Amino acid sequence: MQNDELKYLTVPLPDDILAERMSGHFENEIKLIQFRLSDRLLSRAMRSRLEYELENITVLRKRYTVSPDEAVKMMQAIIPDFTAEELEMLRIQSRADWIYLNGEVRFIDSFRGTLLETYPEYRRRARRPEEDSRLKDECVEKSGTVKCLAAHIHIIHSIRIDGEDVREGESLLVHMPFPHKTAEISDVRLIRSSRKPVRLPEEDELQPTVCFRDTAAQNLTFEIEYSLTTTYPVTDMEALGRITDGIALVPPSGAANDYRLNVPGQGIIEYPENVKPYLSEKLPHIIFSPYLKALSDEICGNEFSPLRRARLIYDFVTTRMEYRFMRDYFAVESIAESAAASLRGDCGVQAILFIALCRISGIPARWQSGLIASPEHVGEHDWAMFWIPEAGWLYTDPSYGNSACAKGNTAQWNFYFGNLDPYRIPINNEMQAELIPKKKFSRIDPIDNQCGEAECESAGIRLNGLHRTYTGVDIRLMD
């Protein structure tokens, strides 16, 4: 399925297919899907939805592999007194992600990591060190005395491909995410690449990559080494609140989400044209469903200040959501609605819920993602931006705010509404944007590109066949 067909995930599955899926009888589900696909008169929307479901089945089978007995043994390897009864309670509480496979419970392969990352009691019982928030605290403290926060970042990103999807001898296309100059990034240098790229990104690309072509073989490795400077302006949110006091949202008069602004001295004005697209749905994940609309109304109430509305939404996401490693986004039909229903999700899920609720509430909001790159860790991460009159685009990191709130770190919690630390590499500036050149097969991640993408002539490389590593070479806060 191509990215422009993701909108068809909003098409409901037929009841008989859904029943087989929920019980985990995937072989029966495949038979029902294939029968329906044989109908030449089947609509394009339903055909795309069913073809996507076939790919989703493959993903679910590869990720949900751990039986309850195996899960207990995995936990006992790090927490000897862990019990089967404890695992069952975690399942009932939805703290350990699971599905039915042929009527039997199977846990996701990352469930143990989720427990250690999310719940301090399991980290303590496993004698794992607590997360060190020193670097974040340093940025928060420094933000009170400077106009911007900047970091020098020098990393190595490598990927290796293997597995059943590698068709040896075929032409291989590889995309590796690579930042280009933006408002936040300067001094970008591609220091080294293990192979000669066939294409480097243009500056206006929304999901830029270094592109390679080679002959497919098992265990091929691709590596890029690069450096850059990230700079994020510091925004005094209290001062901005005073500046924007009196600006109010004018609710839509009809069915469209055409919010306007009532600005003192100017009267009722339209949003700028280049901002309006970020008030719209982006199916299937940013959807203005009845539930999300009702939730927006409940969160915002009678508050019509754009800045205060955005803060109310941030407070909801950061205080009500629970951090959770996710199944592949490929396997989630509508991320914002799923997040609002379960109140669980990782950094991307929390960012998407924030964006969806902002847009429904009349506040332009957009996606940004890439890598966290600190002296302690380099890894994939997602956050968001929102637009406020008199300020323009501001930044927020809901999952970092969520973590800070859970730890009682009020300074950090407040900081990540309107500001970011510079220990990050923003690469993707839009959700569901196409890669250049466009992939033939479905993306590993239909939302953005952080780990890399690869495909042969006759098959796409799935996530379990693309192994990535990130190595920090020189990462430091700049004066």
Side-chain angles (χ1 to χ4, degrees), residues 36-77:
R36 287 180 182 263
L37 288 175
S38 67
D39 181 358
R40 292 183 300 167
L41 300 179
L42 190 67
S43 69
R44 178 190 174 189
M46 181 57 75
R47 184 173 298 279
S48 294
R49 177 68 183 90
L50 294 178
E51 288 172 347
Y52 191 95
E53 182 64 13
L54 288 175
E55 296 190 53
N56 185 31
I57 291 170
T58 300
V59 172
L60 292 173
R61 281 173 155 174
K62 288 182 180 294
R63 295 298 310 277
Y64 289 83
T65 58
V66 182
S67 71
D69 287 344
E70 291 168 334
V72 171
K73 291 178 182 177
M74 288 173 64
M75 291 301 297
Q76 288 178 341

Side-chain angles (χ1 to χ4, degrees), residues 360-460:
I360 290 170
S361 306
I363 303 158
R366 59 189 289 193
W367 175 265
Q368 196 171 70
S369 68
L371 300 176
I372 285 298
S374 79
E376 298 174 343
H377 171 69
V378 180
E380 296 149 23
H381 192 54
D382 313 316
W383 56 95
M385 301 173 69
F386 60 103
W387 192 90
I388 297 296
E390 307 297 336
W393 287 106
L394 299 172
Y395 303 92
T396 182
D397 192 326
S399 70
Y400 272 22
N402 180 285
S403 175
C405 183
K407 293 179 171 65
N409 191 328
T410 303
Q412 270 191 32
W413 181 49
N414 288 326
F415 173 79
Y416 284 108
F417 177 73
N419 292 284
L420 292 179
D421 62 80
Y423 291 122
R424 59 189 69 217
I425 306 173
I427 299 174
N428 305 291
N429 288 291
E430 181 59 281
M431 296 169 53
Q432 298 167 216
E434 293 291 355
L435 301 178
I436 303 175
K438 185 176 178 180
K439 281 190 68 180
K440 177 181 177 182
F441 297 97
S442 295
R443 299 263 293 266
I444 289 174
D445 186 341
I447 301 297
D448 62 9
N449 179 33
Q450 294 161 294
C451 63
E453 296 273 351
E455 65 181 5
C456 301
E457 293 175 37
S458 62

Side-chain angles (χ1 to χ4, degrees), residues 14-235:
D15 289 344
D16 54 348
I17 292 175
L18 183 61
E20 297 291 1
R21 180 196 189 188
M22 298 307 293
S23 63
H25 291 95
F26 293 130
E27 290 298 333
N28 293 343
E29 185 185 7
I30 290 170
K31 290 176 184 177
L32 291 173
I33 290 174
Q34 290 173 337
F35 173 74
R36 287 180 182 263
L37 288 175
S38 67
D39 181 358
R40 292 183 300 167
L41 300 179
L42 190 67
S43 69
R44 178 190 174 189
M46 181 57 75
R47 184 173 298 279
S48 294
R49 177 68 183 90
L50 294 178
E51 288 172 347
Y52 191 95
E53 182 64 13
L54 288 175
E55 296 190 53
N56 185 31
I57 291 170
T58 300
V59 172
L60 292 173
R61 281 173 155 174
K62 288 182 180 294
R63 295 298 310 277
Y64 289 83
T65 58
V66 182
S67 71
D69 287 344
E70 291 168 334
V72 171
K73 291 178 182 177
M74 288 173 64
M75 291 301 297
Q76 288 178 341
I78 59 172
I79 303 176
D81 62 349
F82 188 87
T83 66
E85 292 74 20
E86 195 172 355
L87 177 67
E88 176 62 10
M89 183 56 65
L90 289 170
R91 186 185 73 85
I92 291 171
Q93 295 170 338
S94 295
R95 290 186 163 194
D97 193 15
W98 64 279
I99 64 170
Y100 282 119
L101 181 61
N102 295 322
E104 298 182 351
V105 169
R106 289 292 182 271
F107 293 94
I108 195 168
D109 52 11
S110 62
F111 87 96
R112 187 172 72 173
T114 290
L115 293 177
L116 294 176
E117 179 73 20
T118 308
Y119 304 110
E121 64 267 32
Y122 287 103
R123 184 180 288 271
R124 286 193 294 270
R125 288 171 64 185
R127 297 183 179 180
R128 300 291 174 90
E130 293 294 324
E131 179 192 9
D132 186 357
S133 64
R134 173 181 52 84
L135 293 174
K136 296 176 188 176
D137 287 333
E138 181 184 357
C139 290
V140 173
E141 183 177 352
K142 189 173 182 180
S143 69
T145 60
V146 297
K147 292 183 178 181
C148 64
L149 294 168
H152 171 77
I153 298 174
H154 177 180
I155 70 165
I156 299 171
H157 177 193
S158 65
I159 63 173
R160 177 178 59 85
I161 62 166
D162 66 10
E164 61 186 8
D165 296 322
V166 176
R167 307 299 162 85
E168 299 198 38
E170 289 189 3
S171 176
L172 176 71
L173 171 67
V174 174
H175 283 284
M176 295 190 71
F178 181 74
H180 55 55
K181 184 179 179 181
T182 63
E184 306 91 356
I185 294 177
S186 61
D187 304 323
V188 183
R189 291 181 57 224
L190 179 59
I191 297 169
R192 177 182 60 85
S193 64
S194 60
R195 302 164 192 271
K196 185 177 180 180
V198 296
R199 185 181 183 278
L200 296 174
E202 302 286 342
E203 284 196 5
D204 60 348
E205 289 179 28
L206 296 173
Q207 295 191 7
T209 67
V210 173
C211 187
F212 300 92
R213 288 193 183 275
D214 210 318
T215 301
Q218 295 289 342
N219 293 308
L220 274 184
T221 299
F222 298 82
E223 187 170 276
I224 57 176
E225 180 177 356
Y226 61 90
S227 65
L228 66 149
T229 298
T230 58
T231 304
Y232 284 92
V234 173
T235 301

Side-chain angles (χ1 to χ4, degrees), residues 244-251 259-264 267-269 271 302-309 361-362 389:
T244 60
D245 190 41
I247 297 176
L249 288 161
V250 179
Y259 274 90
R260 293 176 296 167
L261 296 164
N262 191 340
V263 181
I268 296 176
I269 64 172
Y271 272 108
N302 293 322
E303 180 57 72
F304 290 97
S305 159
L307 184 60
R308 290 194 288 270
R309 271 198 172 196
S361 306

